[in-house]
Amino acid sequence: MKYFASVEGRTYEIAIDHHGQITVDGVAMAADMQPVSGRHLYSLLLDNTSHEVVLDTDEEGRNLYEVMVAGLRYQVKVQDERSRRLALADRSLKAPSGELAIKAPIPGLVVSVLVELNQEVAEGETLIILEAMKMENELRAPRAGAIREVRTESGAQVALGQVLVTLR
Amino acid sequence: MKYFASVEGRTYEIAIDHHGQITVDGVAMAADMQPVSGRHLYSLLLDNTSHEVVLDTDEEGRNLYEVMVAGLRYQVKVQDERSRRLALADRSLKAPSGELAIKAPIPGLVVSVLVELNQEVAEGETLIILEAMKMENELRAPRAGAIREVRTESGAQVALGQVLVTLR
Amino acid sequence: MFKKVLVANRGEIAVRILRACEERGLRTVAVYSDADRTALHVRYADEAYRIGPPSPKESYLNIPAIIAAARQAGVDAVHPGYGFLSENADFAQAVLDAGLAWVGPAAEAIRAMGDKVTARQLMIAAGVPVVPGADAGLSDTEAVGVAQEIGYPVLIKASAGGGGKGMRQVNDPADLPRALAAARREAAGAFGDDTIYLEKVITGARHVELQVLADQYGNCIHLGERECSIQRRHQKLIEEAPSVAVPPELRAEMGAIAVRAAQAVGYSNAGTVEFLLDRSGHFYFLEMNTRLQVEHPITEQVTGIDLVKEQLAIASGRKLRWTQADIQIKGHAIECRISSEDPYNSFLPAAGRITSLSEPTGPGVRLESGICAGFEVSLFYDPLLAKLVVWGENRAEAILRMRRALDEYRIGGIHTTIPFHQQVMDSTRFQGGQFDTSFVDGPDGFRLSAAPSQNLTQVAAIAAALAEHERAQLAVILGSPCDEQGLRISPWKQAGRVGGVRSR
Amino acid sequence: MFKKVLVANRGEIAVRILRACEERGLRTVAVYSDADRTALHVRYADEAYRIGPPSPKESYLNIPAIIAAARQAGVDAVHPGYGFLSENADFAQAVLDAGLAWVGPAAEAIRAMGDKVTARQLMIAAGVPVVPGADAGLSDTEAVGVAQEIGYPVLIKASAGGGGKGMRQVNDPADLPRALAAARREAAGAFGDDTIYLEKVITGARHVELQVLADQYGNCIHLGERECSIQRRHQKLIEEAPSVAVPPELRAEMGAIAVRAAQAVGYSNAGTVEFLLDRSGHFYFLEMNTRLQVEHPITEQVTGIDLVKEQLAIASGRKLRWTQADIQIKGHAIECRISSEDPYNSFLPAAGRITSLSEPTGPGVRLESGICAGFEVSLFYDPLLAKLVVWGENRAEAILRMRRALDEYRIGGIHTTIPFHQQVMDSTRFQGGQFDTSFVDGPDGFRLSAAPSQNLTQVAAIAAALAEHERAQLAVILGSPCDEQGLRISPWKQAGRVGGVRSR
């Protein structure tokens, strides 16, 4: 079975058979992953190198894994051949929209909205000040763009994941 | 719902309603038991007194609980009214047999059998020497009696729970 | 000594205090909000009393509910921990009025040091050096004038402040109005008082604080310093004792001043006098914390003195068991604050359930934790989950040991600051001791590495692919799982069996 | 210093050694049997190599497999831990022959001390006092004569002995033949050598041992004593340092003799000289353990010296960093051996899966553990699961702290010796320091209380009734659960929800 695992902008092609042997981008390796306690902690031996791995999946099960190795955290998207073909085909049909939603990373109170409709913003510019845990947190633009929508206002209580502003 | 919980030779009559109120031998108490991590560790508040309890049930689910409180371990048998009536009725039908089986408490090798058929033994007398973990363990008579059966022999490998000798 | 003590707090510090009580043979009483029913401190205590819903105002800040629990439980003393009501003079007074002992200084000392403006004035009178700045609360207009006078950069501080809340550094006069407004908002929200004052920013300064212990009979000693310069937005992240910047003579000098500061307010019990230490060895009083400090364990590790037990002894009327000459500093200790914040995402607080937990142990490692597997971390409370403390023969051993202990620490299900601490321990600036309070926040400040090792991304990719493979295999074998439990657990068990073929 | 070290062991001691290597910046290699694929030491190491099936003979005692792993991994040193091959001179030689460093003494020193009869002879020659007894292996007939000569009670010992195996005390001449046979059987089984000898039983003696450290250049010091009198069938259960029975002058005297004993066999690295100390202050050499000892952490806690790091330094050719005058004993340390044995049932070894685990932490607590939640404890290996070690300012604080830490320790799913330790900490004889090696085994020996508090039986009854109630309720609600997972887990989750009604 062949999988494509994408992490930090790189995609690894990983073939797995049933006997602990895998190939990664064509290179053979012995792999043995065993659960340790409950469902999240694993011991992974790769050619005798020992790794402890904490694995979480997103609730919706969309083949998206959060993997913690050596204290570092990675988002890994895994596709098999079929789903990869589908995804590639899908992408080629749609024009890239380029729209980006700025969501509340934590529930809290909007202290102020520093941007308005159609305003041009630079990467890193502060868009919203959100108070949570009694501290003010600045939400910044992840890239340059223009404000397409402002969906909140000063004084609003917002929930985790709620869209506050969209960029185009 | 009423339960009879027997532990260390004492039986408590415990009535439980749905609102955290119980009575123990007629005395009312506030009881709140909450699981802490997974299925075995519980926090139990009884009238504001805090207990940490480790609960295990036997595999066969015969209402037998092993309860660890403050480092001490108790076997508790719980019956509801119906099963208690059945058990009492059952007991009144059978004559107490008085037979007692000495089982291997650990898998191991029988080094020697120190008793023979019909031999009278005193409480605490060594019956069998069982080697396990490279140490010799002496299995003693839990009460006085006569040897009814010898079901093993010197040099035998025995499994956990295997009956070695019975007393009458 | 007391017989029964109520701990008016939660989390790791409640557990820490309960342990000290337990080791002194005292009966212990916890209080809890509905969010904490199965928290460690509730399970740990001999008795536990519910004091309200999760919101702090209705529970851990709810003075009548806590006093009522203390009365019901029949305790003879209350320990407030840190945070919450620990520096609330009204609470201290309410405890005393209920006929109970207060494990802390007198209400007057709390009040005097609690108002930062009053404290500055008292310290100046006592001959304790303070940071140049305003000696009274300021209006916005006054603030502009004072800032001009002492010179930029300036620091806006809340008079009722603590924990970095309501603080803002201003480098440019143009930014002052907005910063004043933000600081006042935060101060009003956190303390119900928007009085602010200004201090000059001492560039390149370290945060060095002195632990003091004073009994009720005027005896007062210091237990050496803690270096707390690794901060982010005035919140401490890493502390160590002793400080590499404090030679023995300076320790004696700062210690003597710290004792003088404590005595100026008739202090008793444990307290901390915070200073800024500049590059030329001058130091300036910042504030005094009239309570146990989060980072108190590092002082315990290098002195061998259990501060909480000493607090209990002092509060029960015992005399100090030590003179200054008895205090010896041995080895080096470091503390990392492990909190539920995402260091990859501006340290935003994270909430969620702890799905798995492996805690570091072994030689020289001390963990002060408030969590366990299965615990739900909520946004109601401070994100501090645990404090990882190590002792080493010297600073180098302590750093290596901390690195080892951090590597062992696995908290699943929630984002934590562990990766931040790992990278700080690896940084040559930290290892060299070459840092000040701008280490994290400064323009050349420490940044979490965005370029992780290629090897590790490959490991992550393989782990995820193996997990996905087993999940897919299992779907084929089992059809649709029968319930949520089955769905979440079984595939991984299966993964184990299949993956295990090779070695069995 | 080395670059990469293989640890030829498992369990808590493998983890302990891996940690020391990690803190010295060395790459680490673990070996494992099939029973230990997910054990802590495998996960902890940088690399891990399978060496065979669960049976020790085929894995952890399998010299060729371990040497092969060392070669494949390219290590430059091997640390044997304790037990298994740690006192096997052939293994030490095989390591050296493979061109690797051996973290331990020379093979000759292991051989000399390994044969207890040879060791006695060497010690007598070096002027070290020994227990009266036979100075050579004995036939059964000779043994009868020697026993008569030295006088009953006598102790039968295996010449190749260790860990209490093959030892038998005989009080009555009539019991000698059977005891000889049993001891020979056990010795043959454990060591492949049934040579035995006899020693007089020193009544009322304490087991006191001295830790020594020696480099490869003839420098040798001692790090004070450990008191290990709390034993059962010659297996240590609880150790402490320092011993209440050893005043400073006696420590110096015993230390000097221990150093002499080590030097008599050209010892280098860490080692332990065991003595019996009688009531009048006379002491007698028992044996020397030519390896790291299980109970080494208590010495580390009171001296501040990391023995494993010193072992590595010595093995790599470094000189001792200390002279005898540098060694200071501070405070008091106690270790409880937590093993999978049932103290309510003759300490029979128990096997099974660890279903839940909460480990003690906090001030003064050090845990050396080889287990984690979900781990399967097998009967293949020593039942030692973990060592709980505490440090206190004095013995009283250490005992109170140990009691506190034991109370916090929850191991679910398997029987452990925790209840035994709790009751010993509560016993006035232990607290008073009034004990000798007969504390557990003697006719008036310590017995686990069979009369637990009525209050606790009631709590147990209530807990079980509540659990049964929720299980019954759930059966009504859900019908038959859908799979084994659901059956085992869901009822308890439900129990939580229902039981939680009151406080939510």
Side-chain angles (χ1 to χ4, degrees):
Chain A
M1 195 71 181
K2 199 178 280 180
Y3 296 89
F4 300 89
S6 306
V7 51
E8 301 277 329
R10 239 207 92 156
T11 298
Y12 296 88
E13 190 182 314
I14 299 165
I16 301 175
D17 78 4
H18 281 269
H19 303 284
Q21 286 296 325
I22 65 173
T23 62
V24 180
D25 293 341
V27 181
M29 256 183 206
D32 178 17
M33 186 162 80
Q34 300 283 345
V36 172
S37 73
R39 31 190 164 139
H40 294 271
L41 186 60
Y42 293 81
S43 168
L44 173 61
L45 291 185
L46 289 174
D47 281 346
N48 291 115
T49 302
S50 178
H51 301 277
E52 231 176 82
V53 175
V54 179
L55 265 171
D56 285 289
T57 46
D58 64 340
E59 291 296 313
E60 292 139 34
R62 289 189 200 136
N63 309 345
L64 203 62
Y65 292 84
E66 193 163 278
V67 184
M68 192 91 160
V69 196
L72 293 167
R73 201 172 67 219
Y74 302 101
Q75 299 272 355
V76 188
K77 188 171 179 71
V78 185
Q79 295 176 303
D80 60 21
E81 285 176 288
R82 191 174 145 273
S83 59
R84 182 174 159 91
R85 268 198 309 275
L86 287 176
L88 290 173
D90 192 40
R91 189 186 299 171
S92 62
L93 289 176
K94 274 196 213 150
S97 78
E99 186 180 313
L100 185 72
I102 313 301
K103 297 177 185 176
I106 176 174
L109 176 79
V110 174
V111 173
S112 57
V113 179
L114 303 174
V115 290
E116 51 195 43
L117 208 62
N118 295 323
Q119 182 180 331
E120 296 285 331
V121 295
E123 180 181 334
E125 191 171 331
T126 305
L127 308 178
I128 300 265
I129 297 177
L130 183 68
E131 189 193 288
M133 312 283 294
K134 296 209 182 113
M135 295 285 287
E136 295 191 355
N137 301 286
E138 299 182 346
L139 305 186
R140 294 159 193 272
R143 62 160 171 82
I147 304 298
R148 188 176 173 274
E149 269 182 305
V150 176
R151 295 215 207 155
T152 189
E153 59 186 356
S154 191
Q157 281 285 352
V158 295
L160 175 72
Q162 186 174 327
V163 176
L164 306 177
V165 166
T166 60
L167 280 181
R168 65 163 176 256
Chain B
M1 196 72 182
K2 199 178 278 181
Y3 296 91
F4 299 89
S6 307
V7 51
E8 301 278 329
R10 238 207 94 157
T11 299
Y12 296 88
E13 189 182 315
I14 299 166
I16 301 176
D17 77 6
H18 281 269
H19 302 285
Q21 286 297 326
I22 64 172
T23 61
V24 180
D25 293 341
V27 181
M29 252 183 209
D32 178 18
M33 187 161 80
Q34 300 283 345
V36 172
S37 73
R39 33 194 163 136
H40 294 272
L41 187 59
Y42 293 81
S43 167
L44 172 60
L45 290 185
L46 289 174
D47 281 346
N48 292 115
T49 302
S50 178
H51 301 277
E52 231 176 81
V53 175
V54 179
L55 265 170
D56 285 291
T57 45
D58 64 340
E59 292 295 313
E60 293 140 33
R62 287 187 201 138
N63 310 346
L64 204 61
Y65 292 84
E66 193 163 279
V67 184
M68 192 89 160
V69 195
L72 293 166
R73 202 171 64 220
Y74 301 101
Q75 299 272 355
V76 188
K77 188 172 181 69
V78 185
Q79 295 177 303
D80 60 22
E81 286 175 288
R82 191 173 147 273
S83 60
R84 183 173 159 92
R85 268 198 309 274
L86 287 175
L88 289 173
D90 192 40
R91 188 186 299 169
S92 61
L93 289 175
K94 275 195 212 151
S97 79
E99 186 179 314
L100 185 72
I102 312 299
K103 298 177 183 176
I106 177 174
L109 177 79
V110 175
V111 173
S112 57
V113 178
L114 303 173
V115 290
E116 50 195 42
L117 209 61
N118 296 323
Q119 182 181 328
E120 296 285 332
V121 294
E123 179 181 334
E125 192 170 331
T126 304
L127 310 176
I128 300 264
I129 296 176
L130 182 68
E131 188 192 289
M133 315 281 297
K134 295 210 180 110
M135 295 288 286
E136 296 192 354
N137 302 285
E138 299 182 344
L139 304 186
R140 295 159 192 272
R143 62 160 171 80
I147 304 297
R148 187 176 175 275
E149 271 181 303
V150 176
R151 295 214 206 156
T152 188
E153 60 188 354
S154 195
Q157 280 286 353
V158 294
L160 175 71
Q162 187 175 327
V163 175
L164 308 177
V165 166
T166 59
L167 281 181
R168 66 165 174 254
Chain C
M1 181 50 71
F2 311 122
K3 291 203 167 57
K4 199 170 184 182
V5 177
L6 181 143
V7 179
N9 217 303
R10 66 179 298 282
E12 66 85 18
I13 194 60
V15 176
R16 164 73 188 93
I17 296 163
L18 291 168
R19 280 175 172 147
C21 293
E22 176 100 358
E23 289 182 12
R24 294 219 61 148
L26 312 179
R27 293 274 301 170
T28 55
V29 177
V31 292
Y32 65 94
S33 78
D34 290 337
D36 282 338
R37 166 62 188 84
T38 60
L40 277 184
H41 73 288
V42 173
R43 289 150 50 200
Y44 199 95
D46 294 320
E47 298 172 29
Y49 292 80
R50 177 182 178 273
I51 48 169
S55 150
K57 275 189 192 155
E58 297 177 271
S59 53
Y60 298 105
L61 294 172
N62 183 344
I63 296 179
I66 295 171
I67 297 290
R71 285 222 163 96
Q72 196 187 339
V75 302
D76 40 22
V78 172
H79 194 307
Y82 57 69
F84 291 127
L85 296 169
S86 61
E87 292 182 298
N88 184 315
D90 296 340
F91 180 54
Q93 197 55 56
V95 166
L96 296 170
D97 290 347
L100 312 175
W102 167 254
V103 184
E108 301 76 53
I110 299 177
R111 277 206 187 90
M113 288 298 190
D115 186 275
K116 304 306 167 191
V117 170
T118 308
R120 272 178 69 88
Q121 292 164 346
L122 280 168
M123 291 302 105
I124 292 167
V128 174
V130 301
V131 181
D135 297 324
L138 300 171
S139 70
D140 284 11
T141 328
E142 288 167 340
V144 174
V146 170
Q148 205 57 48
E149 196 181 304
I150 60 178
Y152 285 87
V154 296
L155 198 59
I156 308 171
K157 289 184 149 188
S159 185
K165 288 181 181 115
M167 272 164 104
R168 281 289 184 285
Q169 176 167 336
V170 182
N171 301 320
D172 187 315
D175 296 336
L176 189 58
R178 206 167 102 188
L180 281 168
R184 286 198 200 270
R185 262 198 318 271
E186 227 172 73
F191 316 112
D193 174 0
D194 73 350
T195 310
I196 58 93
Y197 66 107
L198 292 187
E199 278 181 4
K200 187 170 176 54
V201 170
I202 311 279
T203 319
R206 288 165 175 264
H207 177 118
V208 174
E209 60 185 30
L210 272 285
Q211 176 71 51
V212 299
L213 267 185
D215 64 19
Q216 297 177 15
Y217 313 100
N219 304 301
C220 183
I221 59 172
H222 74 88
L223 304 185
E225 81 284 2
R226 295 184 287 259
E227 154 91 62
C228 314
S229 299
I230 310 296
Q231 309 183 340
R232 183 182 172 275
R233 297 171 64 175
H234 305 287
Q235 308 245 31
K236 297 164 189 167
L237 298 168
I238 298 174
E239 301 96 346
E240 57 182 310
S243 166
V244 292
V246 178
E249 318 77 58
L250 182 57
R251 176 171 306 127
E253 193 191 340
M254 293 180 84
I257 294 280
V259 166
R260 195 192 299 170
Q263 286 175 328
V265 293
Y267 202 85
S268 83
N269 218 291
T272 298
V273 184
E274 297 189 333
F275 296 103
L276 282 181
L277 174 64
D278 74 14
R279 287 176 185 165
S280 52
H282 296 114
F283 56 92
Y284 309 91
F285 173 85
L286 270 179
E287 61 179 57
M288 179 167 188
N289 292 312
T290 55
R291 52 165 168 87
L292 192 66
Q293 205 91 331
V294 176
E295 58 273 23
H296 75 277
I298 54 175
T299 297
E300 297 182 323
Q301 294 308 105
V302 296
T303 60
I305 293 175
D306 185 320
L307 283 168
V308 181
K309 286 184 193 162
E310 297 305 319
Q311 284 194 296
L312 293 166
I314 288 169
S316 75
R318 300 270 175 89
K319 278 197 178 170
L320 267 190
R321 294 191 296 142
W322 324 86
T323 65
Q324 193 61 54
D326 297 325
I327 306 305
Q328 301 293 331
I329 308 295
K330 185 181 177 188
H332 198 94
I334 303 179
E335 170 179 286
C336 288
R337 299 190 185 194
I338 312 298
S339 59
S340 53
E341 296 172 312
D342 185 354
Y344 290 102
N345 192 8
S346 307
F347 284 80
L348 277 167
R353 187 173 296 277
I354 311 277
T355 53
S356 68
L357 182 65
S358 312
E359 298 179 330
T361 60
V365 173
R366 168 176 169 185
L367 186 68
E368 296 289 340
S369 172
I371 59 168
C372 60
F375 187 68
E376 186 79 36
V377 176
S378 81
L379 292 173
F380 287 110
Y381 310 115
D382 192 276
L384 185 67
L385 302 175
K387 302 176 317 200
L388 180 54
V389 181
V390 301
W391 179 90
E393 200 185 312
N394 49 45
R395 189 167 184 267
E397 188 185 48
I399 292 174
L400 288 162
R401 186 163 274 167
M402 180 59 86
R403 193 153 68 169
R404 183 273 282 178
L406 286 165
D407 282 352
E408 291 179 22
Y409 208 166
R410 312 252 180 261
I411 302 179
I414 193 169
H415 296 162
T416 77
T417 51
I418 291 173
F420 169 83
H421 293 296
Q422 286 178 304
Q423 293 194 24
V424 172
M425 291 302 132
D426 282 342
S427 96
T428 49
R429 268 186 70 204
F430 180 77
Q431 289 171 359
Q434 298 306 308
F435 54 80
D436 55 44
T437 55
S438 70
F439 180 80
V440 176
D441 289 331
D444 306 323
F446 174 82
R447 293 287 171 270
L448 218 58
S449 164
S453 97
Q454 217 233 270
N455 177 41
L456 288 182
T457 58
Q458 184 178 314
V459 172
I462 292 169
L466 287 168
E468 179 66 20
H469 178 66
E470 303 306 344
R471 188 155 76 166
Q473 293 295 104
L474 195 78
V476 173
I477 298 163
L478 280 193
S480 64
C482 73
D483 71 356
E484 200 232 1
Q485 290 298 338
L487 179 72
R488 302 290 302 273
I489 297 173
S490 308
W492 309 105
K493 290 220 121 178
Q494 184 63 20
R497 285 184 216 115
V498 175
V501 166
R502 192 178 67 92
S503 63
R504 292 270 156 83
Chain D
M1 182 48 73
F2 312 122
K3 291 203 167 56
K4 199 171 183 181
V5 177
L6 181 143
V7 179
N9 216 303
R10 66 179 299 282
E12 66 84 18
I13 193 60
V15 176
R16 165 73 187 94
I17 296 162
L18 291 168
R19 281 177 170 144
C21 293
E22 176 98 0
E23 290 182 12
R24 294 221 59 149
L26 311 178
R27 294 273 302 169
T28 56
V29 177
V31 292
Y32 65 95
S33 78
D34 291 337
D36 283 337
R37 167 61 187 86
T38 60
L40 276 184
H41 74 286
V42 173
R43 290 150 49 199
Y44 199 95
D46 293 321
E47 297 171 29
Y49 292 79
R50 177 183 178 273
I51 47 169
S55 149
K57 274 187 192 155
E58 297 176 90
S59 52
Y60 299 105
L61 294 172
N62 183 343
I63 296 178
I66 295 171
I67 298 288
R71 285 222 163 96
Q72 195 187 339
V75 302
D76 39 23
V78 172
H79 194 306
Y82 56 69
F84 291 127
L85 297 168
S86 61
E87 292 182 298
N88 184 315
D90 295 340
F91 181 54
Q93 198 55 56
V95 167
L96 296 170
D97 290 348
L100 311 176
W102 167 254
V103 184
E108 301 77 54
I110 299 176
R111 275 204 190 89
M113 287 299 190
D115 185 275
K116 303 308 168 192
V117 170
T118 309
R120 272 179 69 88
Q121 292 162 346
L122 279 168
M123 291 302 107
I124 292 166
V128 173
V130 302
V131 180
D135 297 325
L138 300 171
S139 69
D140 284 10
T141 328
E142 287 167 341
V144 174
V146 169
Q148 205 58 46
E149 197 182 302
I150 60 178
Y152 286 86
V154 297
L155 198 60
I156 308 171
K157 288 184 150 190
S159 185
K165 288 177 182 119
M167 272 165 101
R168 281 289 184 285
Q169 177 167 336
V170 182
N171 300 319
D172 187 314
D175 296 336
L176 190 58
R178 205 168 101 190
L180 280 168
R184 285 198 201 273
R185 262 199 318 270
E186 227 173 73
F191 316 111
D193 175 0
D194 72 351
T195 310
I196 57 93
Y197 66 107
L198 292 186
E199 277 181 4
K200 186 169 175 55
V201 171
I202 310 280
T203 318
R206 288 166 176 264
H207 178 117
V208 174
E209 60 186 31
L210 273 285
Q211 176 70 52
V212 298
L213 267 185
D215 64 19
Q216 298 176 14
Y217 313 99
N219 304 302
C220 183
I221 60 171
H222 73 87
L223 303 185
E225 82 283 3
R226 293 184 287 260
E227 154 90 62
C228 316
S229 298
I230 310 296
Q231 308 182 341
R232 182 180 173 276
R233 295 171 65 174
H234 306 287
Q235 309 245 30
K236 296 164 190 166
L237 298 169
I238 299 174
E239 301 96 347
E240 57 183 308
S243 166
V244 292
V246 179
E249 317 77 59
L250 182 58
R251 176 172 306 126
E253 193 190 342
M254 293 180 83
I257 294 281
V259 167
R260 194 193 299 171
Q263 286 175 329
V265 293
Y267 202 84
S268 83
N269 218 291
T272 298
V273 185
E274 297 188 333
F275 295 103
L276 282 181
L277 173 65
D278 73 15
R279 287 176 184 164
S280 51
H282 296 115
F283 57 93
Y284 308 92
F285 173 85
L286 269 178
E287 62 180 55
M288 180 167 187
N289 291 312
T290 56
R291 52 164 167 87
L292 191 65
Q293 204 91 330
V294 176
E295 59 272 24
H296 75 277
I298 54 175
T299 297
E300 298 182 323
Q301 295 306 107
V302 296
T303 60
I305 293 173
D306 185 320
L307 284 167
V308 180
K309 286 184 192 162
E310 297 305 317
Q311 283 194 297
L312 293 166
I314 290 168
S316 75
R318 300 270 175 90
K319 278 197 179 170
L320 266 190
R321 295 190 294 141
W322 324 86
T323 65
Q324 193 62 55
D326 297 326
I327 306 306
Q328 300 293 331
I329 308 294
K330 186 182 176 187
H332 198 94
I334 304 178
E335 170 178 287
C336 288
R337 300 190 183 193
I338 312 298
S339 60
S340 53
E341 295 172 312
D342 185 355
Y344 290 102
N345 192 8
S346 308
F347 285 78
L348 276 167
R353 187 173 296 278
I354 311 275
T355 53
S356 67
L357 183 65
S358 313
E359 297 179 331
T361 61
V365 172
R366 168 176 170 186
L367 185 69
E368 296 289 339
S369 172
I371 59 168
C372 60
F375 187 69
E376 186 80 37
V377 176
S378 81
L379 292 174
F380 287 110
Y381 310 115
D382 191 277
L384 185 67
L385 302 175
K387 301 175 318 200
L388 180 54
V389 181
V390 300
W391 179 89
E393 200 184 313
N394 49 45
R395 188 168 185 267
E397 188 185 47
I399 292 175
L400 288 163
R401 186 164 274 167
M402 180 60 87
R403 193 153 68 168
R404 183 273 283 179
L406 287 165
D407 282 350
E408 291 179 23
Y409 208 165
R410 312 253 179 259
I411 302 179
I414 193 169
H415 296 164
T416 77
T417 51
I418 291 173
F420 169 83
H421 293 297
Q422 287 178 302
Q423 293 193 26
V424 172
M425 291 302 131
D426 281 341
S427 96
T428 48
R429 266 186 72 204
F430 180 77
Q431 289 172 359
Q434 298 305 310
F435 53 81
D436 56 44
T437 56
S438 70
F439 180 80
V440 176
D441 289 332
D444 306 322
F446 173 83
R447 292 288 171 266
L448 218 56
S449 164
S453 96
Q454 217 234 270
N455 177 40
L456 289 181
T457 58
Q458 185 178 314
V459 172
I462 293 169
L466 286 169
E468 178 66 18
H469 178 66
E470 303 306 343
R471 187 154 77 166
Q473 293 297 104
L474 195 78
V476 173
I477 298 163
L478 280 193
S480 65
C482 73
D483 70 357
E484 200 230 359
Q485 290 298 339
L487 178 71
R488 299 293 301 273
I489 296 172
S490 306
W492 309 104
K493 291 220 121 181
Q494 184 63 21
R497 286 186 215 113
V498 176
V501 167
R502 192 177 69 91
S503 64
R504 292 271 155 83

